[in-house]
Amino acid sequence: MVGMNLKVHIDKDACLAYGDCAELAPGAFQVKQVAKLVGRAPAQQLIDAARACPSEAITLIDADTGEPVYP
C-alpha cells in the first residue's frame, strides 16, 4: 500500500455530504453540498475514507495499473 498512487472519483449524485471522508483524510477532501477532492493524502487514508463513506460515493483506482482498489 505504501507509495500507491490512487485516482479518486467522487460520484456527486451519490454523495450525501456526511463528511466522513473529510474527517479521515482532511488533506484530501472537503465537504459542503457534496464531497470534493482538494488535495492529497496517503493511500491508506484515502482507502479508509472511501470505506467510511455511507453512500459509497468514492471510488479508488490504482493510477499505475488502472485496477480498482475500492470498492
Side-chain angles (χ1 to χ4, degrees):
M1 207 66 60
V2 175
M4 181 181 287
N5 187 17
L6 297 175
K7 287 184 183 181
V8 178
H9 173 74
I10 301 168
D11 181 341
K12 295 189 185 325
D13 293 328
C15 179
L16 299 174
Y18 284 104
D20 296 4
C21 58
E23 286 183 30
L24 291 169
F29 297 100
Q30 182 179 68
V31 178
K32 292 187 180 177
Q33 286 90 4
V34 295
K36 178 176 161 184
L37 189 66
V38 295
R40 301 177 60 101
Q44 190 58 56
Q45 277 188 7
L46 294 174
I47 292 167
D48 292 344
R51 286 181 177 155
C53 179
S55 59
E56 299 179 348
I58 302 171
T59 302
L60 303 174
I61 308 279
D62 185 316
D64 298 322
T65 67
E67 294 292 317
V69 173
Y70 186 86

